[in-house]
Amino acid sequence: MTTLQERPHTALLVIDVQRGVVASAHERDAVVANIAALVDKARAEDVPVVWVQHSDDGLVKGSEDWEYVPELPRRGAEPLVHKNYGDSFEGTDLERVLAAAGVGRLVVTGAETDACIRSTIHGAFVRGYDVTLVADAHTTNDNSRWGAPPPGQVIAHTNLYWQYHSAPGRTAGVAETKDVAFGD
């Protein structure tokens, strides 16, 4: 159970599913479809959906590559957090958004597995959140030319180690899209 006092609720976090980030990502269409299904489920259950959008010198704010993929339309009332670092909490108002909604548990989806997803799940966990990574709703690009394993292995490894991650008073877990439960 989360170590955050008075925070019994869950939120779905959708990280960086932007045109330029996922254009050639591993199993892009299946991952985006899984995220869309989770967004629909969260909305149907009145679970907050929080969108995170990255920008930097290579992903210019306002550019077409910076935009979210068209399959994932954000509703105007849903929070949008702009970030410039891998960890979605660093230099953003994400913590304030989650605190205002009483959120102590995150269900995490998005891109890229070996960058912003890893940074954010660890960042959330050390800040006291319970964190569920959705095994089939995060992706990465092929970075093997720089020494990384192929994307399927990066994703599998991240799912493997996150399911066994632990710390006092918090839970980490991994679930497939079909098994995600938002219940508080």
Side-chain angles (χ1 to χ4, degrees):
M1 176 164 280
T2 179
T3 60
L4 300 171
Q5 300 291 324
E6 310 290 321
R7 301 251 205 117
H9 303 297
T10 299
L12 175 64
L13 200 58
V14 183
I15 301 171
D16 302 349
V17 191
Q18 297 161 254
R19 291 175 189 245
V21 176
V22 300
S24 59
H26 181 72
E27 297 185 4
R28 179 238 188 252
D29 292 344
V31 169
V32 170
N34 287 339
I35 295 170
L38 289 164
V39 168
D40 289 345
K41 182 177 181 176
R43 288 172 176 162
E45 296 180 23
D46 291 323
V47 169
V49 179
V50 179
W51 303 83
V52 178
Q53 191 170 23
H54 189 84
S55 62
D56 58 27
D57 291 342
L59 191 61
V60 178
K61 190 172 187 175
S63 69
E64 187 174 320
D65 281 347
W66 173 80
E67 294 175 4
Y68 250 77
V69 297
E71 300 96 321
L72 296 174
R74 181 180 71 88
R75 290 185 178 163
E78 293 169 339
L80 174 60
V81 174
H82 294 282
K83 72 177 181 67
N84 303 108
Y85 303 100
D87 182 346
S88 298
F89 289 90
E90 288 295 330
T92 72
D93 64 347
L94 180 57
E95 171 58 29
R96 183 191 57 74
V97 167
L98 297 173
V103 171
R105 176 177 174 251
L106 298 175
V107 175
V108 178
T109 67
E112 289 196 53
T113 300
D114 42 356
C116 299
I117 296 298
R118 282 191 187 171
S119 294
T120 300
I121 61 178
H122 286 280
F125 201 70
V126 300
R127 287 173 174 88
Y129 290 88
D130 291 337
V131 181
T132 300
L133 177 62
V134 185
D136 54 354
H138 64 98
T139 188
T140 194
N141 286 285
D142 188 348
N143 295 312
S144 57
R145 68 178 174 245
W146 294 287
Q153 290 179 359
V154 169
I155 293 163
H157 179 253
T158 303
N159 291 338
L160 173 68
Y161 85 74
W162 195 251
Q163 72 181 336
Y164 296 109
H165 205 73
S166 63
R170 290 157 279 162
T171 60
V174 177
E176 291 190 14
T177 298
K178 66 181 177 53
D179 299 322
V180 169
F182 290 117
D184 295 334

